[in-house]
Each structure stands twice: as structure tokens, then as C-alpha cells.
Amino acid sequence: MSRLTTRILIVLSVLSIVGIVATQVYWVRKAYEVRERQFLQNATKALGQVARRVAQPAAGVPVDVQVVTLSPAYYLVTLNAPINPRKLEFFLSAELQIHQILTHFEYGVYDDQAGQLVYANSTRHENESSLSTPSGVPSVASPYYFVVRFPNQVHYLTQQLDTWILGSMIVLLITSFFVYLFYRMLTQKTRTEDQREFINNMTHELQTPISSIKIAADVLSSPKIMEQPERMLKYVRMVQEETLRLQQQVETVLTVARAEKKGAFNLQPVPIDMHELLYQLAERHGDYLHLELDAHYSVIQADRLHVGNVLGNLVDNALKYSPVNPVIRLMTRNENSQFVLMVQDNGIGIAPEHQPHIFNAYYRAPGANHHSVKGFGLGLSYVQKIVKAHRWKIALTSALGQGSTFSIRIPQPIVHPFSQNRKSVLNSDEL
């Protein structure tokens, strides 16, 4: 599947998901509005019937009733005759039940003598209700009116949409499942591509030492080589170096594979003077490597083999992605009871969009993923795994064309008399 096809599928999937969710929200909202209109119509009819039944008109005077909707849950009922409050509660309960309005209600009757609304709560049987005189009540010509409020109206209408809501939840659940499935497919596709690239890189990397060993073996198998001891020694050293290189490459792959399978490294922590380790590392490199060791306490508890591999991987990574004249700085300092190690280079840098992925196994940033740059794409993944296994923290600061800086923070260095900084700056020229 090409990248263009993948992007088209992603866009179409996103649009489909948004469309499904928007459609469900739209129909649930429409269903609620329909229920609300039905509630309003039924409440208006029921309250009109209640007003006619509780009115006490004068002989021969027709009852004139008006139901004013203050809100979908609040109604004002006016009439041109006195109200029998003793009948109001009974008829309210009866008419609302007849019109299928089965929710709690509160009502109040205007008391002409007191000049205010007097409320009662038929469901809770309270002497006083939490209601107050409604604001925004239109002026009425008649002093005979009562108000009714449904405090649980929204909850009551929502309960009637249980089927709609359940259906929407099922659709969202199915949609979420397909989103997760699609995400896993894309992740697996990316991982497969990375593994394929890793196999290509590994094949290329392993061919180089194998070819060198084969050439050296052919030369050493010649009878005349015994007459040229210097040349024979040269090819023996070549075999040793290439064998060691091949061994390191295989060990890196096996170490990462074991860590992914078991989920952890078998660490053997011992006290290590990091400055001593950095001196030894600098001896194996040229004048491009600079040490700036400002930490007063440099002894830590760690696995010596893995920490040495971490330092080697970071320096090798900096060297591979630096220009013709590389400058690599190894810096240390103590900060907030921590030992901080930084590896800084003047290389090509890493774009922000690629930085979150550089610690993934097999990942190599675009532009660096070619055979002229050696490596399997496992170095930084191995570094992060070792850092996490020690419960340390690693961070990256980088920008295109401005180099990269990897910082490792190690908590609670061991205070040791030999961990005092012996040199603040050590260049390879001084070694």
C-alpha cells in the first residue's frame, strides 16, 4: 500500500467517523426536541383542564383560561374566577397522569390576602417549597392564577431517550473499535516497514565485516604469507577487528531482542566513576572529542557494561550524523542532587516531527536512512531501554542544522573522594 493510498484512507476514515458522530448527535438532539414539544403540548392541555376544574366562577360567567409558558419546565395559568386550592393538588396529579406526564411537579397559588405566591409540594410533602416567585412573570389583569414547575423535566425527557442513547453508545463503541483496529493496522504497517528497512541495513552492515574477514582469510591461507610476517600480522589484526565489530553488532541486536521479549535487562549495578569511563572513551577517539567535566560528584551505581555501551552508542551516533569536521562535547555537572551527562554534537540535527520517534526500534529519520550512514536503527532504542532500566531520564534537544544534545539525568550520585573533578576541560590533544 502506497503512502498516498494510506493518507487517502486516513482522511476518508476520519471524515466517516466525524460524520457518524455528528449524525448521531443530530438525531439524538432532534429526538429530544420532539419530546420537549410533546411535553409542552401535553402540559398546556393538562393545566388548562385543571384550571377549568378548580375555578369557582360566578353564575352564568364562562371560565376564561390562559396558560403562559415561562420555560419548557415552568407554566403560569391565569383565569377569571377564584381558585379552590383544596382541589388544585388533586386535579393536578390526575390530569398530569392522564396526559402521561409522570414526573415530580411543584405548584403555587397566588394568595390575594397575602399578596404573594404560596407554594406547596405534593410529592415531597414539604410545608415549604424551594421555589420562589418567578422572575419575568408577565403582568396579569386577573388576581387569580397559579404556577406549576417541573424541576426534573430535563431528566424526565432524557430517560425517554434511553433507546436513542443506547443506540448511539453502541454506534460509538463500534466506531471506536474500528478506529482502534485501523490504528493498529497502521502501526503494524509502520513497524513492518521499519523492520524491513532494519533487515536491509543489517544485511548491508554484516556484509562489510564478513567480506573483510573473507578477504583476510584468503590472504592468510596463501603459503607465501608466511614469508611476509608484517603483512600477515596486518591481516590478523583485520580479522580480529572485524570479528569484534561483527560480535558487537550481533550483541546489540540480541540485547534489544531479549529486552523486548523479557521487558527488562539483567543489570549488575556497581559503583562507577563516570569521569574515569569518559576518559577511557576519549582515548579511543580523535581530537574531535572534547570533555568538559564539571561535576564534583561523578560516582554512580550502574551496570558498567551497559553504561559503556550507552556512551559508545551516543558518541557513535553523534559522529555518524556530523559533517566533515565533527565537534563532539561530553559534559557533566551536578544539578539538584543529580549527575547530568550531556553528549552534544554539531551534526545535521533532527526535525521536531521526527524527535518523538527516534527512540523507537528500527526507526531512522528520513535523510539518514541510507547505507552511507552505518547502523541498524537500534542504537538509540538500546540507549533508552538501558536508561529506563536504571530508572534514569533521557532528553533530546535538537534543531535542523544546529546539532543535537542528549542529556541523561542520574539521581543521587555517590559522594566519593575520588569523584572530585580532576580536569574541567580535557581535549584529546591532552590525552
Side-chain angles (χ1 to χ4, degrees):
M1 187 185 301
S2 64
R3 292 182 179 271
L4 179 60
T5 304
T6 302
R7 291 176 181 175
I8 293 175
L9 286 176
I10 292 174
V11 172
L12 292 177
S13 300
V14 171
L15 291 177
S16 301
I17 292 169
V18 172
I20 292 172
V21 173
T23 301
Q24 286 299 121
V25 172
Y26 172 79
W27 283 114
V28 170
R29 183 176 177 180
K30 283 294 183 182
Y32 181 85
E33 291 176 354
V34 170
R35 297 287 185 179
E36 190 176 54
R37 286 196 296 269
Q38 291 176 349
F39 183 90
L40 189 148
Q41 293 173 358
N42 292 337
T44 301
K45 292 179 182 178
L47 294 178
Q49 292 293 334
V50 170
R52 294 182 181 88
R53 294 194 177 192
V54 300
Q56 297 175 328
V61 178
V63 179
D64 185 15
V65 177
Q66 182 180 7
V67 181
V68 180
T69 304
L70 304 179
S71 74
Y74 213 162
Y75 300 86
L76 170 69
V77 184
T78 63
L79 59 162
N80 61 343
I83 300 172
N84 186 346
R86 290 175 296 181
K87 296 182 179 180
L88 181 60
E89 181 177 335
F90 172 78
F91 285 114
L92 276 173
S93 300
E95 289 295 332
L96 292 176
Q97 190 170 9
I98 291 172
H99 288 81
Q100 297 298 311
I101 300 179
L102 308 176
T103 182
H104 167 63
F105 65 90
E106 296 174 339
Y107 69 93
V109 182
Y110 179 72
D111 188 342
D112 190 23
Q113 295 181 352
Q116 63 181 1
L117 285 172
V118 179
Y119 289 88
N121 191 318
S122 63
T123 303
R124 297 180 183 174
H125 300 288
E126 298 173 349
N127 295 327
E128 294 182 359
S129 172
S130 59
L131 289 174
S132 59
T133 303
S135 58
V137 176
S139 59
V140 290
S142 173
Y144 309 116
Y145 64 88
F146 63 92
V147 294
V148 178
R149 189 171 79 95
F150 302 94
N152 300 326
Q153 184 246 11
V154 174
H155 181 259
Y156 172 71
L157 295 180
T158 305
Q159 283 184 324
Q160 297 181 354
L161 299 176
D162 286 347
T163 304
W164 284 88
I165 295 175
L166 180 61
S168 299
M169 294 298 295
I170 293 175
V171 171
L172 290 177
L173 184 62
I174 295 174
T175 303
S176 301
F177 171 75
F178 279 105
V179 169
Y180 174 76
L181 185 62
F182 189 66
Y183 169 77
R184 294 294 298 176
M185 290 175 59
L186 290 179
T187 303
Q188 186 62 36
K189 177 179 179 295
T190 303
R191 188 172 181 82
T192 302
E193 292 177 351
D194 291 340
Q195 288 178 341
R196 186 185 300 114
E197 190 62 34
F198 160 73
I199 293 173
N200 294 336
N201 291 331
M202 184 177 67
T203 303
H204 183 270
E205 288 295 314
L206 295 181
Q207 281 178 345
T208 302
I210 291 174
S211 299
S212 300
I213 292 173
K214 184 177 183 302
I215 293 173
D218 291 340
V219 174
L220 291 174
S221 63
S222 173
K224 296 182 179 180
I225 196 66
M226 301 298 295
E227 302 173 0
Q228 302 173 348
E230 294 183 358
R231 185 183 178 196
M232 182 179 68
L233 184 61
K234 173 185 176 183
Y235 281 102
V236 169
R237 284 198 301 267
M238 178 187 295
V239 171
Q240 292 174 337
E241 292 174 356
E242 293 300 329
T243 302
L244 179 61
R245 177 183 170 189
L246 185 61
Q247 182 181 5
Q248 290 175 342
Q249 291 173 339
V250 174
E251 183 63 26
T252 299
V253 176
L254 292 178
T255 301
V256 174
R258 284 195 298 265
E260 290 183 348
K261 182 178 180 180
K262 298 179 181 179
F265 289 92
N266 184 20
L267 301 178
Q268 298 178 354
V270 295
I272 302 174
D273 188 342
M274 289 296 291
H275 286 179
E276 193 70 34
L277 205 60
L278 292 173
Y279 293 146
Q280 296 174 6
L281 179 65
E283 290 176 354
R284 300 197 297 268
H285 291 270
D287 57 2
Y288 53 81
L289 187 63
H290 302 264
L291 298 183
E292 301 179 13
L293 311 181
D294 297 327
H296 294 290
Y297 306 108
S298 60
V299 178
I300 64 171
Q301 194 81 8
D303 186 294
R304 188 178 188 87
L305 174 63
H306 287 303
V307 170
N309 291 339
V310 165
L311 294 176
N313 279 333
L314 290 176
V315 172
D316 290 343
N317 189 75
L319 191 59
K320 284 189 295 186
Y321 297 111
S322 293
V324 180
N325 298 316
V327 177
I328 301 173
R329 300 166 62 197
L330 301 182
M331 300 172 286
T332 66
R333 67 172 183 262
N334 293 121
E335 183 179 294
N336 298 328
S337 300
Q338 292 180 331
F339 177 81
V340 183
L341 169 67
M342 290 179 289
V343 180
Q344 185 181 81
D345 63 62
N346 63 335
I348 60 176
I350 304 172
E353 61 269 21
H354 300 301
Q355 293 181 17
H357 309 291
I358 61 168
F359 293 111
N360 296 343
Y362 316 119
Y363 183 83
R364 305 183 78 187
N369 198 13
H370 49 76
H371 298 309
S372 62
V373 178
K374 298 179 180 180
F376 296 154
L378 292 176
L380 292 180
S381 174
Y382 171 81
V383 168
Q384 188 191 47
K385 291 179 184 298
I386 294 298
V387 168
K388 285 187 174 181
H390 282 87
R391 300 183 184 277
W392 301 341
K393 293 183 180 180
I394 186 170
L396 167 66
T397 303
S398 183
L400 282 177
Q402 300 180 18
S404 304
T405 301
F406 288 90
S407 303
I408 299 178
R409 292 184 173 271
I410 303 173
Q412 298 178 345
I414 302 173
V415 179
H416 193 282
F418 297 103
S419 68
Q420 298 293 329
N421 183 29
R422 295 180 292 180
K423 295 181 181 180
S424 61
V425 179
L426 176 63
N427 294 330
S428 59
D429 296 336
E430 302 175 85
L431 294 174

